[in-house]
Amino acid sequence: MKQNSAFMRERVLPLFVWIFGLLVIWEAVSWWLLNVAKTPLAQSKLPYVHEVASTLWKYSGTLLKEGGATFGNAGVGFLIGALAGVILAVLMSLSKTIEQLAFPYAIASQMIPILGLAPIIYGIVRDEQVSRIIISGYITFFPVALNMLRGLRSVDLSALELMHSYAVKPWAVYWKLRFPAALPGLFSGLKIAAPLAVTGAILVELMGAQHGIGVIMLRNLYYGPSHTYMFWSTVLVGALLGMASYWLMSLAERLVAPWQPEFRPKGGSR
C-alpha cells in the first residue's frame, strides 16, 4: 500500500502536472497566435488542443482501424528484424571471422537513408504490407544485433572460466550465462528499434499505400487548412503508436529481466 502511494506521489503526480502544464501552455499559445498575433494559418501551425481532442474522439474508429494496420505490420517487421538481429549477434559472438565478414556490411546497410530506401523497396515489391514489414525489419535488426552482441560479451570472465573448468557445453554456456547477461543489452536495442519500426511503416504508407495511419496523414495534409485537426490527430496517433511500442518493450523487459537495478526497490539491493 505504501509502495503504491509512493509510486503515485513520485511518478504519476509529477507526470500529470507536466502534461497538464504543457496542455495549458499549448492552448494559450494557440489562442495568442490566432487572436492576438493574427498569424496566417495559425491553426495549421498550432491548433487548439480541445479541437484536436474532439477530432480524435469523432474519428476514433477510423484512426483505430488505420493505426491498427500500421502497428500490426510494424510489429511483424519488428519481430522478424529482432530475430535476425539476435541470430546475427550470436553468430558474431561465436566466430570472429563471421563478425569481420558481417559487421562492416551491417554498418554499411545503415548508411542508406530510409527516406530513399522506402520508395525503392515499395517500387520493387509493389505490396504495401510486405514493404512495411521489410522496412520495419530493416530498421530493427541493426540496433538489436549491436546491443545483443555487446551484451553477450559483457559476461563476467570469472564466471565464464568457472563454467569452462567444469567442461560445460557451449550451448549450456549460452543458455545459462551469456543469454541472461545479454538481456539488458537486447532490450536496450529493442526499445530503440520499436518506435523506429513504427516510423518506418508510416514512411512506407506515405509512398502511396491504401491503408494505415500514414495514408490518412498524407490525405489530410493535401486537403490543407480545412483538415488541420484531422492531420494533427494522425500525427498524435503516430506518436502514440511509437510510445506504445516502447512501453510494450519496457513491460516485457520488466517481466523477463526483473533483476536489473532500475527495477529493484530503492537502494538497488537484491
Side-chain angles (χ1 to χ4, degrees), residues 71-230:
F71 197 72
N73 287 294
V76 173
F78 172 77
L79 291 175
I80 294 173
L83 181 61
V86 169
I87 292 172
L88 181 63
V90 172
L91 291 175
M92 289 193 294
S93 71
L94 285 169
S95 168
K96 276 285 181 186
T97 305
I98 294 177
E99 181 183 356
Q100 290 170 353
L101 286 173
F103 203 67
Y105 292 105
I107 294 175
S109 70
Q110 301 303 302
M111 300 296 112
I112 304 172
I114 297 298
L115 193 60
L117 184 63
I120 294 173
I121 295 295
Y122 188 74
I124 294 173
V125 177
R126 304 304 300 173
D127 184 301
E128 60 180 272
Q129 195 166 354
V130 176
S131 301
R132 281 181 288 195
I133 291 172
I134 291 175
I135 290 296
S136 297
Y138 171 80
I139 292 174
T140 300
F141 104 93
F142 184 72
V144 171
L146 185 64
N147 285 280
M148 181 76 181
L149 179 62
R150 185 178 297 171
L152 288 171
R153 289 182 173 165
S154 67
V155 177
D156 186 5
L157 286 178
S158 59
L160 197 59
E161 289 170 359
L162 179 64
M163 296 197 84
H164 286 159
S165 69
Y166 283 102
V168 177
K169 293 183 177 178
W171 67 266
V173 173
Y174 269 82
W175 183 251
K176 295 182 178 178
L177 187 61
R178 287 192 185 275
F179 283 143
L183 283 177
L186 171 63
F187 277 103
S188 295
L190 292 174
K191 286 191 286 187
I192 293 170
L196 293 176
V198 174
T199 304
I202 292 175
L203 188 60
V204 172
E205 291 165 358
L206 297 178
M207 304 298 165
Q210 299 298 315
H211 298 287
I213 201 68
V215 178
I216 309 297
M217 186 186 297
L218 188 63
R219 287 176 185 168
N220 286 279
L221 183 63
Y222 281 147
Y223 292 148
S226 62
H227 288 70
T228 292
Y229 301 124
M230 189 60 179

Side-chain angles (χ1 to χ4, degrees), residues 41-58:
L41 302 175
Q43 285 297 284
S44 296
K45 294 172 182 173
L46 196 66
Y48 282 128
V49 175
H50 67 274
E51 292 287 358
V52 176
S54 174
T55 305
L56 274 171
W57 175 256
K58 185 177 179 181

